[in-house]
């Protein structure tokens, strides 16, 4: 979910230089909730005021299983960043993002210690599993994790539990990043790339807050069975607990406070019991803790229509895992392409996970056609 290989290629519309990406970074407003500590990387004082040339170091163990490291030393702040290039176009757009980080660091006296690790299809090829324990441990020990893309046709025939996407789900769960922040705002240079009319999308600035490690993607029981008539069945469980809803609701309200003080909670409470609980808890949190934030509720089917009909009516949206997955992809097309947007996944503590919304586009991998904008913005 959220990492399918067959998403819109990132080369849509035109290629961008690093300068374009860095200019775009300054114009994108990805407001982070104050209560989510992992959005802000933890700065650490460097041991000495120094600068060294970036040099890769080699491990004595197998290069397939070990992480590759590159250090840029600076004077005032130091961050450990785990890089997960993944599959398809991932390695080539990650190279651009790393260049951007190094350039920004050189201008702001920031040091980076980059560690590259395996995930997804690349990890399956090297180790037989989509998320090696050493990769998760490296990510957990870092200040932030930058992921490119995972998946591809090569691994589509594997059993579901062994596919690259399971590495992404395991990574999210292992880092405890329960809040996915997906902005959809129009860069002035790209407004005519949208499939909608300029007068409809102009001024669009939406932040979708998606619950990321609960709901139907993680709920149990799930699997296959046989009904009373002997027909094969497939089933999943959409389940949320009160604490899970409370914490994502607070992220939504905190984010709304930093923007326009308006929050729309999206669910399907006219049909689903889990959504009835969602609406009840979000309403209570709003009344008790955020009375100054304007809270509205909308059914997910209506929200999907309204995002296309009149996107500027929305500011901050909070919703569950599967609804957020769908709505944020729909909102991405307001901007012209899913390949243009970054995202952040954060938890109550520990490192955040930053990645583009698009997939691995294996059909253009290695051709240098991929647009790295979303990866650069994620960095």
């Amino acid at each position: 979910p959220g990492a399918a290989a067959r998403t819109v290629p990132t080369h849509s519309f035109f290629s961008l230089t690093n300068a374009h990406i860095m200019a775009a970074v300054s114009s994108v407003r990805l407001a982070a909730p104050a209560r989510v500590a992992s959005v802000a990387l933890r700065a650490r004082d460097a041991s000495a005021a120094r600068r060294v040339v970036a040099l890769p170091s080699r491990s004595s163990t197998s290069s397939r299983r070990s992480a590759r490291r590159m250090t840029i030393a600076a004077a005032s702040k130091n961050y450990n960043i785990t890089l997960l290039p993944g599959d398809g176009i991932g390695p080539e757009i990650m190279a651009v993002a790393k260049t951007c980080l190094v350039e920004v660091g050189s201008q702001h006296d920031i040091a980076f210690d980059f560690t590259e690790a395996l995930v997804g299809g690349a990890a399956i090829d090297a180790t037989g599993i989509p998320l090696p324990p050493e990769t998760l441990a490296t990510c957990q020990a870092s200040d932030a994790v930058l992921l490119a893309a995972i998946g591809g046709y090569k691994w589509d025939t594997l059993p579901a539990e062994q596919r690259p996407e399971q590495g992404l789900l395991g990574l999210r769960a292992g880092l405890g990043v329960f809040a996915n922040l997906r902005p959809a705002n129009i860069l002035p240079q790209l407004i005519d790339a949208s499939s909608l009319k300029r007068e409809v999308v102009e001024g669009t600035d939406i932040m979708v807050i998606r619950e990321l490690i609960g709901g139907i993607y993680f709920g149990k029981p799930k699997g296959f069975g046989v009904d009373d008539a002997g027909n094969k069945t497939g089933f999943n469980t959409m389940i949320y607990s009160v604490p899970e809803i409370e914490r994502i609701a607070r992220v939504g309200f905190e984010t709304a406070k930093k923007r326009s003080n308006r929050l729309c909670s999206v669910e399907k409470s006219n049909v689903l019991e889990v959504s009835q609980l969602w609406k009840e808890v979000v309403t209570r949190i709003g009344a008790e803790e955020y009375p100054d934030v304007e809270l509205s509720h909308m059914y997910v089917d209506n929200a999907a229509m309204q995002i296309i009909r009149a996107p500027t009516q929305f500011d901050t949206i909070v919703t569950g895992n599967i609804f957020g997955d769908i709505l944020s992809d729909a909102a991405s097309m307001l901007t012209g392409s899913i390949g243009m947007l970054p995202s952040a996944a954060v938890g109550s503590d520990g490192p955040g996970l930053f990645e583009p919304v698009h997939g691995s586009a294996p059909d253009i991998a290695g051709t240098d056609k991929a647009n790295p904008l979303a990866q650069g913005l994620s960095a």
Side-chain angles (χ1 to χ4, degrees), residues 9-12 14-15 89 92 364 366-372:
T10 54
H11 68 297
S12 298
F14 50 80
S15 298
I89 61 172
E92 54 200 270
I364 61 167
T367 64
D368 198 30
K369 293 180 180 178
N371 186 335

Side-chain angles (χ1 to χ4, degrees), residues 250-267:
R250 291 189 178 104
V251 173
F253 281 109
E254 290 289 342
T255 303
K257 285 179 63 177
K258 294 178 179 299
R259 292 167 57 87
S260 299
N261 237 34
R262 295 185 292 115
L263 178 65
C264 179
S265 174
V266 175
E267 27 75 6

Side-chain angles (χ1 to χ4, degrees), residues 2 4 26 40 56 98 113 145 152 168 191 203 214 220 228-229 234 252 278 290 307 319 337 341 343 360 362:
S26 64
K98 187 159 67 172
D113 185 353
V145 179
L168 178 57
I191 191 167
K220 295 181 180 180
D228 293 340
W278 177 283
Y290 301 94
I307 280 179
T319 189
S337 170
L341 298 179
S343 75
S360 63

Side-chain angles (χ1 to χ4, degrees), residues 4-312:
R6 298 185 181 90
T7 51
V8 177
T10 54
H11 68 297
S12 298
F13 306 112
F14 50 80
S15 298
L16 296 175
T17 65
N18 290 353
H20 286 125
I21 293 173
M22 294 179 66
V25 168
S26 64
S27 66
V28 172
R29 182 162 60 102
L30 199 157
R35 293 192 181 188
V36 183
S38 58
V39 173
L41 298 177
R42 300 181 302 279
R44 299 176 303 186
D45 291 337
S47 57
R50 60 191 176 88
R51 182 170 300 280
V52 298
V53 177
L55 293 173
S57 62
R58 298 185 179 273
S59 170
S60 59
T61 60
S62 169
S63 62
R64 293 194 313 160
R65 291 179 172 271
S66 63
R68 290 179 290 167
R69 307 180 70 86
M70 178 177 284
T71 302
I72 306 294
S76 61
K77 297 178 182 179
N78 197 327
Y79 300 114
N80 290 325
I81 311 295
T82 297
L83 304 179
L84 303 176
D87 310 317
I89 61 172
E92 54 200 270
I93 60 175
M94 181 66 80
V96 176
K98 187 159 67 172
T99 299
C100 291
L101 283 173
V102 171
E103 177 62 26
V104 170
S106 70
Q107 294 182 21
H108 295 276
D109 205 20
I110 297 173
F112 294 106
D113 185 353
F114 295 112
T115 302
E116 190 172 306
L118 297 172
V119 71
I124 292 173
D125 289 348
T127 70
I129 55 176
L131 181 62
E134 54 266 36
T135 292
L136 181 57
T138 298
C139 292
Q140 291 171 332
S142 63
D143 291 308
V145 179
L146 183 61
L147 170 68
I150 64 170
Y153 312 128
K154 178 181 179 181
W155 304 281
D156 279 354
T157 58
L158 292 175
E161 65 277 7
Q162 298 175 20
R163 291 180 187 173
E165 291 78 12
Q166 292 302 315
L168 178 57
L169 294 179
L171 183 62
R172 290 169 175 172
L175 294 176
V177 287
F178 64 87
N180 187 203
L181 286 73
R182 288 190 169 190
N185 64 343
I186 306 292
L187 298 177
Q189 302 91 333
L190 301 179
I191 191 167
D192 291 322
S194 175
S195 55
L196 299 181
K197 296 177 181 178
R198 171 184 284 263
E199 56 266 29
V200 173
V201 298
E202 193 165 24
T204 295
D205 184 2
I206 303 172
M207 176 65 75
V208 179
I209 309 295
R210 167 190 172 192
E211 199 290 322
L212 198 58
I213 57 175
I216 200 167
Y217 294 155
F218 289 86
K220 295 181 180 180
K222 63 179 180 179
F224 300 95
V226 178
D227 65 16
D228 293 340
N231 299 307
K232 185 176 181 179
T233 63
F235 56 92
N236 295 85
T237 301
M238 186 172 182
I239 183 170
Y240 276 112
S241 66
V242 169
E244 287 175 322
I245 301 171
E246 288 177 335
R247 68 184 183 181
I248 193 66
R250 291 189 178 104
V251 173
F253 281 109
E254 290 289 342
T255 303
K257 285 179 63 177
K258 294 178 179 299
R259 292 167 57 87
S260 299
N261 237 34
R262 295 185 292 115
L263 178 65
C264 179
S265 174
V266 175
E267 27 75 6
K268 190 64 175 170
S269 57
N270 60 332
V271 175
L272 302 174
E273 283 79 4
V274 64
S275 284
Q276 292 167 17
L277 179 64
W278 177 283
K279 184 175 182 179
E280 173 188 318
V281 173
V282 172
T283 300
R284 173 174 56 79
I285 293 295
E288 293 178 355
E289 301 180 25
Y290 301 94
D292 54 330
V293 175
E294 178 186 333
L295 174 64
S296 61
H297 302 273
M298 190 174 291
Y299 297 147
V300 63
D301 45 354
N302 186 32
M305 179 186 69
Q306 295 295 335
I307 280 179
I308 304 303
R309 188 188 72 83
T312 57

